[in-house]
Amino acid sequence: MATELDLLCTQAGILANYYDIWGTRHEASDATREAILAALEFRTDTPAWPPVLVTWENEPVSFPVPDGKPVTWRLILEDQQVIEGSAGERVEMSAVGLPGYHRLEMVRRGKTLASIPLIVCPRSSYQGGAGRRDWGLAVQLYSLRSAANWGLGDYTDIAGVVDWAAAAGAGMVGLNPLHALFPHNPLHSSPYSPSSRQFLNVLHIGIAGLPEYAECSAAQRQVADPAFQARLAALREADLVDYAGVAALKFGVLETLYRHFRASHLDHNTARAQDFRAFQKRGGTELRQFAVYHALQEHFHAQDASVWGWPAWPEAYRRHDGAAVHAFADAHPERVEWQEWLQWLADQQLAAAARRCDELGLAVGLYQDLAVGVDKGGAETWVHQDLYALDARVGCPPDDFNPLGQDWGLPPWIPQRLRGAGYAPYIAMLRANMRYAGALRVDHVMGLMRLYWIPPGMKGDAGAYVSYPFEELLGILNLESQRNRCLIVGEDLGTVPDEVRHALRDAGVLSYKLFYFERQQDGHFFPADWFPEQSLVAASTHDLPTLAGFWLGRDIDTRSALDLYPRPGMREEQLAGRATDRARLLADLAREGLLPEGVSEDPEQSPTMTPALTGAIYTHLARSPARLALVQAEDMIGQTEQANQPGTVDEHPNWRRKLCLAVEAWSDDARCRALAETMTAERPGIG
């Protein structure tokens, strides 16, 4: 018999059980469900009128009138057309055929009872380039070496990658999330734990290409100083990104340039000043609130280095609309404007990279990445803190590569409250990330339907799933995808319900297929023609070993050294499994006629992942029918270490490893040329 806890959890969308990737059923404990229920602050009462209506195009709209008395309704379409009607116990509207953001007003005796957003969604995401088979190069922006950057890949480096990609025959350049991080704490470097997903990481601003730098002799002298040049050279030569060192140099020069900008442009209302003012106006309240947050965090962190985010601020400043916050912003207008100015520079440089893609004819252009959540102490949670379960964390259950499960430390949206906000923050986030993208990877796309919540004080394997309004979130994703002409790739690795796979397929969302995971029942790798057309194929990703690392078992050694195995003997099991995988891989390449000349099917005679063997694997992927194929830059140049080791923070140099070859050298490198020629020969862009 269902208990009261069961009934409450059903109402709140807390799932009682789930099946893991091995098909094993896991029951959520009462303690887990009670803790999640508390974190949700779930309310059983419902609002009188719907907070938002989301429907598919050409579908009728129907909902009850709360008191059952006659009302008049006015549908104000996005193009300002008005349709009127009347209702008794229910509002019954015929199908709305125009996708968009409309508004439904409920009126009785001249009084507006409710004003309800009505979002009409297309059934499919953007499908541009149907029939093409493009390939692209994926890079971690921070990892790029170049002659011009300051020890950290920057937005102007993207142009160099785009130039190489265009010459190589690629149709896109993939990037890690570019979300805003924390300028006051450059060591907080994970692009998947941002301050805000609506704004950009300003540490990636390229200094040399700024118009202000060309005008400002003071900044040029600052950079030309021998001591500065020595530090800059050391930052460029280091194999790991020194975030603190890069930030010290960059922000020091940017402060000089900001003073120059105020004196030379803002004080004289130049054309560039007018461009900045227009950017501020477009950014509106959201840009202002973001800038105020970072000005406050800068202020309090300067007073006390232990202040990590808004939960550690004085109480009076913890609400973005509080009197103390307004007073601070009024008293420190330049520090607020400084944050807006940095966002403007970053936006301009990313826009220039997107234009470069268009100029060179890249079929897709920039392929950007949308993180699944945000840091608890950042700007996004400060502004929208009532929408987040701040004491819970998002993660995923145990799997082969992460046997302890994963705890990403990110607070989840509260579904009921997000819907109550008319999905406004979700819509703004999608628009911001599609603005310059031809394709967008939605990290952990299953989160549109359910997220794995880990309650306070519990470990990653003790969580439970919470349901989200899947159809509504997917419909809005489709709408923004169509409006921004942006392909959608859904990162659907791990535990994925069939309902999600079917709905994403019907919506035209590309599935994310990784070579390592796509196996037959006997463990052998699928042939190339197995991969679906509606997919993106890649060998690996940032959280998994590179091909060279996979071949050597470097990821297994790393997990062992960091004590990431939950039970004795697991390391030995994975080492044995990896040896079998190497043999299967060689046999499967031979089956496909792709085993390189001189390479034996005996893995003992192939101690390393050679460029020829890498090329054979990517040829296999390139021959698939998949719409997109992605080459990892680390595989192209033969690097062993992966970008991020899940389950670690400071124990491992995550998000710090640079590529061993500068962008300028790719065109002359035999490995890069050979792999690019292979990919272009196998998928020249047409069906």
Side-chain angles (χ1 to χ4, degrees), residues 442-623:
V442 179
D443 189 34
H444 200 71
V445 73
M446 302 82 80
L448 297 178
M449 178 183 178
R450 68 182 195 181
L451 279 174
Y452 185 76
W453 285 35
I454 303 166
M458 296 188 183
K459 295 183 178 179
D461 57 357
Y465 279 100
V466 174
S467 297
Y468 284 74
F470 180 41
E471 282 204 358
E472 298 188 351
L473 293 172
L474 179 60
I476 294 169
L477 179 65
N478 286 349
L479 177 56
E480 288 301 322
S481 166
Q482 293 276 13
R483 291 196 161 191
N484 289 280
R485 299 175 61 81
C486 182
L487 294 168
I488 302 298
V489 178
E491 190 267 293
D492 52 354
L493 305 177
T495 308
V496 187
D498 289 341
E499 180 183 348
V500 171
R501 292 202 187 280
H502 295 156
L504 295 178
R505 181 194 61 208
D506 293 345
V509 173
L510 302 184
S511 182
Y512 193 68
K513 301 296 185 185
L514 293 187
F515 177 69
Y516 293 151
F517 296 156
E518 304 307 325
R519 311 286 191 96
Q520 302 176 70
Q521 287 188 345
D522 61 2
H524 279 272
F525 296 88
F526 279 115
D529 61 7
W530 175 87
F531 291 94
E533 292 182 22
Q534 193 177 311
S535 69
L536 176 150
V537 295
S540 182
T541 186
H542 57 272
D543 283 341
L544 297 172
T546 64
L547 286 178
F550 178 84
W551 196 256
L552 295 172
R554 185 62 57 83
D555 56 313
I556 298 173
D557 293 339
T558 298
R559 283 196 293 275
S560 179
L562 295 171
D563 196 24
L564 295 178
Y565 286 114
R567 58 178 173 80
M570 201 167 188
R571 175 181 182 274
E572 289 69 26
E573 292 171 9
Q574 290 201 344
L575 283 172
R578 189 62 55 83
T580 301
D581 284 342
R582 286 193 291 268
R584 287 169 175 159
L585 173 57
L586 293 171
D588 294 342
L589 290 175
R591 177 197 69 204
E592 300 286 306
L594 293 174
L595 196 66
E597 185 178 352
V599 175
S600 166
E601 288 190 45
D602 180 1
E604 296 299 321
Q605 297 184 31
S606 298
T608 61
M609 176 62 62
T610 63
L613 195 50
T614 296
I617 293 170
Y618 274 106
T619 300
H620 172 75
L621 294 175
R623 288 181 176 177

Side-chain angles (χ1 to χ4, degrees), residues 237-369:
E237 292 168 8
D239 291 330
L240 298 177
V241 175
D242 177 354
Y243 284 100
V246 172
L249 292 193
K250 277 199 174 183
F251 289 132
V253 173
L254 284 166
E255 290 276 11
T256 301
L257 295 178
Y258 175 59
R259 291 192 293 271
H260 167 84
F261 177 75
R262 289 189 59 84
S264 299
H265 292 282
L266 291 183
D267 289 352
H268 300 281
N269 195 30
T270 64
R272 190 154 170 81
Q274 292 171 28
D275 286 346
F276 173 56
R277 294 303 187 204
F279 174 81
Q280 289 176 300
K281 185 176 181 180
R282 289 194 303 273
T285 301
E286 292 162 335
L287 174 61
R288 173 76 173 179
Q289 290 171 338
F290 171 85
V292 170
Y293 164 86
H294 280 284
L296 277 163
Q297 177 57 27
E298 173 190 67
H299 174 77
F300 289 122
H301 187 262
Q303 296 177 352
D304 180 352
S306 68
V307 175
W308 53 275
W310 66 264
W313 294 353
E315 184 69 34
Y317 297 89
R318 294 182 191 172
R319 301 292 303 191
H320 74 274
D321 53 356
V325 171
H326 292 299
F328 174 89
D330 290 342
H332 301 83
E334 289 189 14
R335 297 318 295 169
V336 174
E337 186 180 74
W338 152 256
Q339 298 291 342
E340 295 172 322
W341 183 72
L342 291 175
Q343 284 299 314
W344 178 56
L345 298 182
D347 184 84
Q348 284 193 316
Q349 292 191 339
L350 184 58
R355 286 196 302 273
R356 187 66 175 160
C357 291
D358 291 340
E359 291 165 2
L360 295 179
L362 267 67
V364 177
L366 298 183
Y367 163 58
Q368 293 185 226
D369 199 346

Side-chain angles (χ1 to χ4, degrees), residues 214-228:
E215 302 167 354
C216 182
S217 57
Q220 293 168 18
R221 288 194 300 271
Q222 194 175 348
V223 173
D225 179 81
F228 189 104

Side-chain angles (χ1 to χ4, degrees), residues 39 177 179-182 188 190-197 308 370-378 380-381 387-396 406-414 443-444 451-456 468 542-543 649 655:
H179 310 319
L181 296 181
F182 296 85
H188 184 129
S190 171
Y192 291 92
S193 181
S195 171
S196 171
R197 291 170 292 182
W308 53 275
L370 175 63
V372 71
V374 292
D375 187 85
K376 177 179 178 177
E380 193 166 314
T381 56
L387 304 185
Y388 284 90
L390 293 169
D391 292 328
R393 294 105 59 211
V394 174
C396 67
Q406 293 186 55
D407 178 351
W408 301 326
L410 309 172
W413 265 326
I414 296 173
D443 189 34
H444 200 71
L451 279 174
Y452 185 76
W453 285 35
I454 303 166
Y468 284 74
H542 57 272
D543 283 341
V649 181
W655 317 117

